[in-house]
Amino acid sequence: MLLHLCTVEDWAHAERAGGVDPLPDVGFVHLSTPEQVHLPAQRLFAGRDDVLLLVVDPARLTDPVRFEPGVPGDPASMLFPHLYGRLPATAVVAVLLWEPDRRPPVPTADDAAGRYAALALSLPVRRAHACGDPVARRGAGWAVGSPDHPVSRDDNRLLLPVPVDAEAVLADAAPLVPTAAASVTWCWPGAPDDAARLAHDLERRGWRVGADRVLARAVPAAGEPTGPAELLAQREVHDLWADSWRELLPDDPAAIAQLVGREHRNDLALRVLDVGVREAGRVVAAGQLRVDGGTAAVESLQTATGHRGRGLAGAVLDRLLDEAAVAGCDLAVLEAAAEDWPRHWYARRGFVDVGVTRTATRTTTRTGQAGTSQASSR
């Protein structure tokens, strides 16, 4: 696999434009191997925390790649891959956070768990950068926060890309705990024992730990849309989202407004498509697709009360997979609660279990006492 360095803003623009264009002064896109990428990173992006590693599958490139000398100061024998043509967004199979002091594992195209982990751990950081929210390295992880959405677990959390012990987590997460819904998320492909041990240790210390199964499938070839699901403007889905949150938070309209209002933030970090089914002018089923290069994440698939059991969610999922194919994605990923029935529903639709992601939540009440609340459920 090859790597391309860019900023959060650069990748968001490239995703919408369909790829990265060659530099006009040299006629190629700079690439690196995993063993040499630290050299251009230190030269071009020293001291920055908004730098990404785009993982490029050479098999998906149609223009030539030539290995050529770098710049003066690089080892004389080292040759860098230069792509003489456009880098298609669909050739990017994962997006990693660049960390000068750590070499992240680089997933291959067929590593569904690794590709999912890259998206799950990098998107919250990329989203925070795109929104101008606080981002900080804390120990082995990344901390993000959203002052405008304090009840959102997704936007106020510590993200752990590598195994750590509970004591380190508690120290690194401490600045987040006063937030209404502080949380810690970890997803370590290939280290299930370490992940389970951290969950056990945090539970002993009073944190609530939930597990989701990571499911994945190859994206089928696109067909002509035939069902009732259609592309929607995101605002058209707001009422359905609000109704869903109202079932959990019946007495907290301010929290519901935050949880619905936060969703537009993803659009600033990657490409987002919303799909739904309308009946009598009202959206009664919907789902979201987040396109990140060649990876498509299915999110927020739901059906309104009173309309379930009629196949509407299946129609939405089919349309989401069609849109993933149109976008050039080869892999679809999603999370499903480990102990709930939807993961079996997804299995019948071709999704297979590839791993686990865990989130530990500890909230603080208005009186300053530690506790757990429904508002920390997402």
Side-chain angles (χ1 to χ4, degrees):
M1 308 302 285
L2 301 177
L3 302 173
H4 175 68
L5 285 156
C6 68
T7 66
V8 169
E9 183 179 8
D10 290 338
W11 174 235
H13 173 75
E15 175 65 65
R16 289 169 178 77
V20 178
D21 290 320
L23 293 171
D25 56 334
V26 294
F28 57 75
V29 176
H30 285 276
L31 301 174
S32 302
T33 67
E35 296 75 23
Q36 63 188 188
V37 71
H38 62 284
L39 293 172
Q42 291 166 354
R43 183 167 60 243
L44 300 172
F45 299 105
R48 299 187 61 160
D49 64 359
D50 63 340
V51 182
L52 305 175
L53 290 175
L54 307 185
V55 181
V56 179
D57 181 1
R60 305 182 188 205
L61 302 176
T62 56
D63 290 306
V65 175
R66 300 171 188 159
F67 281 77
E68 299 172 325
V71 301
D74 288 337
S77 61
M78 183 175 287
L79 302 179
F80 286 82
H82 295 157
L83 171 61
Y84 280 85
R86 198 174 204 229
L87 170 57
T90 53
V92 176
V93 299
V95 179
L96 305 173
L97 300 170
W98 164 249
E99 302 172 71
D101 55 346
R102 190 178 76 88
R103 302 290 182 263
V106 176
T108 56
D110 59 357
D111 179 7
R115 291 174 65 175
Y116 166 82
L119 176 59
L121 294 171
S122 73
L123 177 57
V125 175
R126 292 150 55 189
R127 182 172 60 214
H129 273 299
C131 296
D133 286 340
V135 178
R137 286 290 304 278
R138 294 206 182 278
W142 294 78
V144 297
S146 176
D148 293 333
H149 305 86
V151 303
S152 172
R153 189 184 73 189
D154 277 0
D155 296 290
N156 298 277
R157 53 178 163 161
L158 177 68
L159 299 137
L160 301 173
V162 295
V164 295
D165 60 38
E167 295 302 327
V169 169
L170 294 176
D172 294 336
L176 292 172
V177 172
T179 306
S183 65
V184 180
T185 296
W186 62 99
C187 178
W188 305 324
D193 291 342
D194 291 328
R197 187 178 303 111
L198 178 58
H200 175 71
D201 290 346
L202 287 179
E203 285 175 335
R204 288 176 51 220
R205 289 164 170 81
W207 288 67
R208 182 182 65 179
V209 179
D212 287 330
R213 304 304 305 186
V214 179
L215 307 179
R217 63 157 294 166
V219 174
E224 286 296 324
T226 57
E230 58 183 307
L231 287 170
L232 300 173
Q234 192 171 104
R235 63 181 178 277
E236 297 181 80
V237 192
H238 282 187
D239 287 345
L240 178 63
W241 289 342
D243 289 343
S244 176
W245 282 115
R246 205 168 285 117
E247 294 178 12
L248 292 173
L249 307 169
D251 302 317
D252 201 340
I256 293 170
Q258 282 188 42
L259 293 168
V260 173
R262 70 183 179 174
E263 293 294 341
H264 75 282
R265 296 159 52 85
N266 292 300
D267 302 63
L268 303 177
L270 42 60
R271 186 178 169 203
V272 176
L273 300 172
D274 290 281
V275 166
V277 176
R278 269 191 285 240
E279 291 187 355
R282 176 171 172 253
V283 176
V284 296
Q288 187 176 91
L289 192 74
R290 299 175 184 173
V291 177
D292 201 32
T295 306
V298 175
E299 296 281 346
S300 304
L301 186 60
Q302 56 190 279
T303 305
T305 303
H307 296 268
R308 296 165 187 163
R310 297 168 44 206
L312 299 183
V316 170
L317 180 60
D318 288 345
R319 183 61 186 265
L320 291 173
L321 292 174
D322 278 345
E323 295 298 332
V326 171
C329 299
D330 68 298
L331 178 70
V333 294
L334 57 85
E335 293 179 13
E339 304 302 327
D340 209 350
W341 64 267
R343 66 190 183 95
H344 304 294
W345 184 87
Y346 284 113
R348 294 195 295 272
R349 285 154 180 82
F351 285 85
V352 297
D353 193 324
V354 298
V356 181
T357 182
R358 290 178 171 87
T359 295
T361 306
R362 186 175 185 178
T363 63
T364 303
T365 66
R366 292 178 182 176
T367 61
Q369 298 173 336
T372 312
S373 72
Q374 288 178 307
S376 67
S377 62
R378 186 182 180 192

